[in-house]
Amino acid sequence: MDYFPAFLDLDGKSCLVVGGGEVAARKIRLLLAAGARVTVVAPETGESVAALLGDGRIVHVGRVYADEDLDGQWLVVSATGNPTVDARVFADATARRIFCNAVDRQENCSYITPAIVDRSPVLVAVSSAGSAPVLARRIRAQIEAALPARLGELAALAGRYRRRVLDRFPGLSRRIRFWEKVFDGPAADNALAGELGQAAREIEALLVDGDGDGKGKGVAWLTGGGPGDPDLLTLKALNALQSADVIVHDRLVSAEVLALARRDAELVSVGKTPGCRTNSQDSINELLVRLVGSGKRVCRLKGGDPFVFGRGGEEAEALEAAGLDYRVIPGITAAAGCAAYAGIPLTHRDAAQSVVFLTAHGKDSIDSLDWPSLARDRQTLAVYMGVRRFPDLMDKLIRHGRPADTPIAIIERGTTRKQRVLRGTLGQLTLLAVAHNVAAPAILFIGEVAARGAVQSATPAERPAALLTGRGAGSSGVEARVRSTSIPA
């Protein structure tokens, strides 16, 4: 190790900051967060430091640094930006055996300030020994994404029970088993969901159970996996994937998303194939009830959002009827994600003041729609699961008054590296889909906004692999011109 890692107790202790600029302000905030009493030595202060001076734990000495400023200090930060002053502060502090950090001058540092992930009382510090601070910050960002926001609340709750656990379980192995039960079970699940009262009751119940080996209580997380790109997972969805014993997933959940699951989790595919009834919704409901009822923690992973054409509501009702615990974790629905990656605004001041989500899956869903309302202009239609019903959609919308030259966009495998965007008009819809062999998963956008964003996606780093545009508004031709763009590896 280049440096010895340690966490310092600075609560109530005097620390010196030399400098009054923005960098000094950042260091002052960190010291104050740790409970330190701070002396700031600087002839002048910037706005950020001046705004902090009202804190009763800060003393400002309005002059240049002097050796006597080190008297009684536990820690020193030199943030002047002046190499001569920084070197002097470091030399004086070293002579007194006081640890000193000169910002961005590793040669004048006896300690390194790490990149910090703060889930107090849980703290994670990342250091590159000063050689690559930007890399350390990137690592911190990855850890931030992996750790639940309420992890500190869980740690604080556990701390309240530490003495009772020591008294209840005198053997180390029994205490370890107990805490594993807490952190792997419903107590942690409830704490991380913000339900601290229920979490405390779960811990109390485990304390009554002599060895903490009672049967665990199951839970289901009805989780939105987003439209395809694993980077679009929410933090809560990622936590569910990494906490679940069993992952019950749909057919279209990508391998990249599933790779984020806990390594020893059981993966169960219940994907429905169009025209196939091998996995009915009733059988999926029964599976969830059986798994959760047996004490399993289950991540029910769906593409997009579980409550937008994902039948998550039916699964929630089945779990509720069985008296079982479940949580809903929203996801980015396909309409929002795919449109954004294709550069299509769902609403636009000049083109669409509303957006309608509808599904064309199954004959009854098509025939029961309010077609006169859907055929109105200045609105965007986002059609899920409609590839097999494109002819009916086109015919009904045109017959109810939607012009045949209304722009459309078909986005196939949206947000993934295989994304394909086909543009044309409503009158071309069927021929365009046939000519380019459109297959599920694909979402259809109908409305004036579909003609926008035709060159680049909204996120340039995630451009579609190919963009195909039907020629001639309202014509029957389906010859397309291809603009190839690449997605960075």
Side-chain angles (χ1 to χ4, degrees):
M1 292 188 297
D2 293 327
Y3 288 85
F4 178 77
F7 291 94
L8 304 180
D9 178 8
L10 296 179
D11 189 34
K13 295 180 174 62
S14 298
C15 296
L16 174 67
V17 175
V18 183
E22 184 61 40
V23 175
R26 293 200 298 267
K27 302 301 182 181
I28 292 168
R29 292 189 193 101
L30 281 176
L31 292 169
L32 292 175
R37 304 185 66 85
V38 180
T39 298
V40 179
V41 175
E44 298 178 350
T45 63
E47 292 183 3
S48 295
V49 172
L52 296 170
L53 293 181
D55 191 304
R57 294 173 295 163
I58 300 179
V59 174
H60 176 221
V61 180
R63 56 166 172 76
V64 297
Y65 162 79
D67 177 70
E68 58 265 24
D69 293 325
L70 295 171
D71 293 345
Q73 304 296 341
W74 288 72
L75 203 70
V76 180
V77 176
S78 186
T80 68
N82 184 314
T84 302
V85 176
D86 289 344
R88 180 186 167 195
V89 173
F90 174 71
D92 291 345
T94 301
R96 292 175 177 237
R97 297 184 179 179
I98 300 173
F99 283 102
C100 176
N101 176 277
V103 179
D104 290 334
R105 303 190 191 280
Q106 189 176 358
E107 69 277 9
N108 292 329
C109 293
S110 52
Y111 77 90
I112 297 292
T113 302
I116 298 170
V117 179
D118 188 356
R119 299 285 193 276
S120 294
V122 175
L123 289 175
V124 180
V126 181
S127 173
S128 64
S131 60
V134 173
L135 175 61
R137 289 198 294 270
R138 290 180 68 87
I139 296 171
R140 177 191 65 186
Q142 293 174 350
I143 296 173
E144 284 273 14
L147 297 182
R150 291 192 170 99
L151 186 65
E153 295 177 33
L154 172 60
L157 178 64
R160 285 165 36 194
Y161 284 92
R162 187 177 180 191
R163 174 51 57 187
R164 287 180 60 185
V165 172
L166 283 170
D167 294 340
R168 182 70 177 88
F169 307 116
L172 176 61
S173 62
R174 295 177 69 191
R175 290 198 298 273
I176 291 174
R177 286 200 304 271
F178 174 85
W179 286 119
E180 287 177 344
K181 197 72 174 178
V182 169
F183 296 132
D184 289 337
D189 294 338
N190 282 289
L192 296 177
E195 299 174 7
L196 294 177
Q198 182 58 35
R201 287 188 286 273
E202 297 285 354
I203 295 177
E204 294 284 355
L206 289 174
L207 282 169
V208 172
D209 175 13
D211 284 321
D213 287 331
K215 182 179 178 181
K217 182 180 178 183
V219 62
W221 295 293
L222 305 179
T223 305
D229 184 348
D231 286 343
L232 293 181
L233 278 176
T234 65
L235 296 181
K236 281 194 173 184
L238 180 61
N239 184 58
L241 272 170
Q242 295 178 345
S243 301
D245 304 311
V246 182
I247 308 228
V248 179
H249 63 92
D250 286 346
R251 179 174 63 93
L252 298 178
V253 173
S254 69
E256 291 82 3
V257 171
L258 291 175
L260 299 172
R262 203 176 89 190
R263 294 304 178 199
D264 61 340
E266 179 185 358
L267 301 180
V268 179
S269 175
V270 293
K272 303 184 186 73
T273 302
C276 178
R277 298 182 178 274
T278 54
N279 288 308
S280 69
Q281 188 60 49
D282 286 343
S283 67
I284 295 172
N285 294 348
E286 291 168 4
L287 173 64
L288 294 176
V289 168
R290 184 170 68 253
L291 289 171
V292 177
S294 68
K296 299 288 188 181
R297 289 174 300 164
V298 180
C299 176
R300 173 63 175 110
L301 187 62
K302 298 170 175 288
D305 182 279
F307 278 12
V308 179
F309 304 128
R311 304 189 73 170
E314 297 171 51
E315 293 167 0
E317 290 170 355
L319 293 161
E320 183 81 29
L324 298 172
D325 193 17
Y326 68 91
R327 306 277 190 279
V328 179
I329 301 177
I332 295 177
T333 190
C338 297
Y341 273 43
I344 297 173
L346 290 176
T347 60
H348 191 283
R349 178 177 175 180
D350 299 327
Q353 280 70 51
S354 64
V355 57
V356 179
F357 293 179
L358 60 144
T359 177
H361 180 61
K363 183 177 186 303
D364 292 341
S365 63
I366 270 263
D367 292 340
S368 62
L369 295 175
D370 181 359
W371 290 104
S373 174
L374 294 175
R376 294 172 186 162
D377 62 0
R378 301 186 67 79
Q379 69 177 347
T380 303
L381 304 183
V383 184
Y384 290 68
M385 299 175 284
V387 173
R388 299 173 67 191
R389 306 306 302 274
F390 280 174
D392 293 327
L393 282 164
M394 181 182 72
D395 177 65
K396 289 181 181 294
L397 283 170
I398 292 175
R399 281 198 294 113
H400 284 86
R402 196 79 187 221
D405 63 357
T406 300
I408 65 163
I410 305 169
I411 303 180
E412 189 181 72
R413 299 191 177 277
T415 79
T416 73
R417 295 181 183 277
K418 296 181 179 179
Q419 174 173 305
R420 187 167 61 143
V421 181
L422 293 92
R423 297 176 188 271
T425 65
L426 183 58
Q428 298 172 329
L429 173 58
T430 300
L431 290 174
L432 190 66
V434 171
H436 295 288
N437 298 311
V438 173
I443 188 166
L444 168 66
F445 295 98
I446 302 171
E448 287 72 14
V449 297
R452 297 178 180 270
V455 177
Q456 294 184 357
S457 64
T459 307
E462 300 287 350
R463 294 175 187 168
L467 186 72
L468 303 132
T469 307
R471 298 195 313 175
S475 71
S476 60
V478 293
E479 181 180 350
R481 93 176 160 273
V482 180
R483 299 188 187 95
S484 293
T485 58
S486 61
I487 295 177

